Amino acid sequence: MASKAKKQRLSDETKTESPTKKTESPTKKTESPTKNNESPTKKTESPTKNDESPTKKTPALRLLNRSVSIELTHTENTMSSSSPNALFGMGNPLLDIIAIVDKHFLDKYSLKPNDQILAEDKHKALFEELVKKFKVEYHAGGATQNSVKIAQWMIQEPHNVGTYFGCIGKDKFGDILKQKAKEAHIDAHYFEQDEEPTGTCAACVTGDNRSLVANLAAANCYKKDKHLDLEENWKLVEKAKVYYIAGFFLTVSLESILKVAQHASKNDKLFCMNLSAPFICEFFKDNLMQVLPYVDVLFGNETEAAAFAKEQNFETEDIKEIAKKAQALPKDNTKRQRIVVFTQGKDETVMGQSDKVETFPVLKIDPVDLVDTNGAGDAFVGGFLSELVQGKPMHQCVKAAHYAANVIIRRAGCTFPEKPDFN
């Protein structure tokens, strides 16, 4: 099954768990970020004023109103501010190697201009040639790691709100990843081993297209018993309120994902997952469906949603219907109804929540300002998580997601300015 997967699209682990892996692969999601103060939500009618005079309220009604007020205040303040290690991510850490290449280079390695794949034997020389022949940039990547970094950047203070687990090699690239994690103020705890080198992702850029080739290497060596199960590491898992794992990690350690997902469900915490790539829905469907009952928030783009619908025999290509049907799939924690969020590049974002499906417009961006869509999907998730971990309403989570994606597509790689300008 793994060999089949290598021939398939790696939709976002290369996004930086490939260069933007949803850079566990980069997705070419071009969500144009929302303008700073513009809410992506549809306008709703403001509630009518209560015409009843307070003096006419009965004691019972006054008591009811007071109770409701207390309940709402409690709900709003439950997670109103972030705390260290409140957000937990686990995935495939990759060092992205980004370069502008030519068509001859793509043809030599049988690469499509806009694609995401796992490296095969025929791609071994690609990485070395890329560095020797072209001017390259190095960025810490991997889809989940990117999203955790973006969430921390959006939150700013305190530092180390995000915790991240993954596997790297004891080498120079591993040292670079550790340094980049520190600079991003995330609490990264890598499982370090010397059997495989740190994973890399080649982002071969031609025009507006990105062909991503991910060599998981060490990222593929994560071991539950040697890292996740260790007492000091599991304590960090228990501290979290919100969990996020991209679908790419389903190819690495299903048992690790299940342990975290079951903990979240049992303790009524939020577990989030990304479909990540069509090949995950197709060739790792069994693994995905073992985890899905524990998923509270499911992310994906329109291509992944279509692949998921096909594999699940939904018999529809309508993205809103797919969101509804994904919501209705079996769920372990029945206290929370599943939320499904599908992005569509520059088109509106679709969210299935409760018994309705809403759409949120993405702000337009001048093509002149569009630099790199690599990592837009990871950034979208990171922005969403930054508000989710603070207990903000869903429309605010989407607004932050659009903002973060908009910032990232104006820059090279999954990078960002020193501070966000988001209200």
Side-chain angles (χ1 to χ4, degrees):
M1 189 188 306
S3 64
K4 289 182 182 178
K6 288 184 179 179
K7 296 178 182 178
Q8 302 306 310
R9 293 182 178 179
L10 175 60
S11 154
D12 268 342
E13 190 152 333
T14 15
K15 282 182 218 162
T16 350
E17 279 175 0
S18 43
T20 79
K21 198 192 167 198
K22 281 180 191 172
T23 257
E24 273 168 16
S25 318
T27 76
K28 190 187 175 179
K29 297 179 180 175
T30 63
E31 12 235 12
S32 46
T34 62
K35 289 180 183 176
N36 195 14
N37 295 322
E38 181 173 341
S39 168
T41 60
K42 294 181 174 179
K43 291 182 179 178
T44 57
E45 294 183 2
S46 57
T48 58
K49 292 180 181 179
N50 186 352
D51 294 324
E52 183 179 355
S53 169
T55 59
K56 294 181 180 180
K57 291 180 181 177
T58 64
L61 182 56
R62 286 198 297 271
L63 181 58
L64 174 62
N65 287 345
R66 182 170 178 269
S67 298
V68 170
S69 175
I70 291 172
E71 182 177 353
L72 288 174
T73 302
H74 173 73
T75 301
E76 291 170 358
N77 291 336
T78 302
M79 292 167 52
S80 59
S81 61
S82 303
S83 57
N85 308 113
L87 173 64
F88 175 85
M90 181 166 58
N92 301 336
L94 302 175
L95 186 67
D96 295 335
I97 306 173
I98 306 172
I100 297 175
V101 302
D102 51 37
K103 185 176 182 298
H104 174 72
F105 185 82
L106 296 182
D107 292 342
K108 180 177 179 179
Y109 291 102
S110 304
L111 301 177
K112 296 177 183 176
N114 185 33
D115 202 5
Q116 305 89 26
I117 63 171
L118 290 172
E120 301 177 53
D121 288 342
K122 65 181 180 182
H123 300 120
K124 283 185 178 178
L126 179 153
F127 296 87
E128 185 176 349
E129 182 177 348
L130 190 68
V131 173
K132 286 184 177 179
K133 190 173 179 180
F134 303 97
K135 181 180 179 181
V136 302
E137 290 183 12
Y138 295 100
H139 295 284
T144 301
Q145 185 166 231
N146 279 346
S147 295
V148 173
K149 283 195 306 180
I150 293 290
Q152 179 64 60
W153 170 70
M154 289 284 288
I155 293 169
Q156 289 285 302
E157 298 285 349
H159 292 169
N160 297 328
V161 169
T163 306
Y164 179 76
F165 286 4
C167 184
I168 62 175
K170 295 180 178 179
D171 51 29
K172 179 183 177 182
F173 284 171
D175 290 339
I176 292 175
L177 284 179
K178 287 189 286 185
Q179 181 58 36
K180 293 293 183 184
K182 258 187 208 174
E183 292 172 2
H185 306 300
I186 64 172
D187 193 14
H189 293 256
Y190 297 111
F191 170 45
E192 299 181 49
Q193 48 75 60
D194 51 16
E195 293 179 9
E196 290 284 345
T198 297
T200 52
C201 179
C204 306
V205 181
T206 53
D208 292 336
N209 294 313
R210 305 290 182 273
S211 188
L212 305 172
V213 184
N215 178 26
L216 295 185
N220 207 32
C221 299
Y222 189 84
K223 304 295 180 187
K224 170 179 170 288
D225 58 334
K226 294 183 178 179
H227 193 259
L228 184 66
D229 289 344
L230 299 184
E231 184 179 356
E232 62 270 26
N233 289 336
W234 186 248
K235 283 181 179 178
L236 291 170
V237 176
E238 292 178 322
K239 284 182 69 176
K241 299 174 182 177
V242 176
Y243 303 82
Y244 174 67
I245 299 176
F248 295 112
F249 203 58
L250 288 166
T251 71
V252 174
S253 183
L254 174 62
E255 60 179 358
S256 296
I257 299 175
L258 284 172
K259 182 174 182 179
V260 172
Q262 288 165 356
H263 166 79
S265 181
K266 182 180 178 181
N267 292 278
D268 197 24
K269 299 178 181 180
L270 284 165
F271 182 80
C272 313
M273 176 161 268
N274 205 312
L275 293 176
S276 294
F279 85 84
I280 296 294
C281 304
E282 296 162 0
F283 296 98
F284 291 87
K285 178 170 69 173
D286 290 345
N287 287 6
L288 175 61
M289 298 314 292
Q290 284 188 58
V291 178
L292 196 65
Y294 305 103
V295 176
D296 296 299
V297 183
L298 180 68
F299 296 101
N301 65 23
E302 73 277 27
T303 306
E304 295 149 11
F308 182 73
K310 183 179 179 181
E311 291 300 317
Q312 299 300 316
N313 298 314
F314 284 170
E315 298 182 345
T316 181
E317 295 180 358
D318 184 282
I319 196 162
K320 293 180 182 178
E321 287 301 311
I322 296 172
K324 277 202 234 174
K325 289 179 179 288
Q327 266 191 293
L329 290 171
K331 193 168 184 299
D332 184 71
N333 181 7
T334 55
K335 296 176 185 176
R336 299 179 186 271
Q337 187 172 1
R338 181 178 294 117
I339 295 168
V340 178
V341 184
F342 290 144
T343 59
Q344 302 183 91
K346 66 181 187 296
D347 296 326
E348 61 189 13
T349 293
V350 173
M351 181 171 69
Q353 180 187 13
S354 299
D355 296 321
K356 61 183 178 180
V357 176
E358 298 176 90
T359 58
F360 301 84
V362 176
L363 291 182
K364 298 186 188 309
I365 180 171
D366 190 321
V368 175
D369 296 326
L370 184 62
V371 176
D372 186 358
T373 58
N374 207 26
D378 297 338
F380 178 92
V381 172
F384 193 101
L385 295 174
S386 72
E387 298 296 291
L388 186 66
V389 78
Q390 298 180 78
K392 300 296 177 64
M394 289 299 113
H395 70 83
Q396 181 73 1
C397 294
V398 175
K399 182 180 178 183
H402 284 164
Y403 168 80
N406 184 274
V407 170
I408 266 52
I409 63 178
R410 296 170 186 266
R411 304 167 65 91
C414 192
T415 61
F416 38 81
E418 183 180 354
K419 292 187 176 181
D421 181 20
F422 175 74
N423 294 320

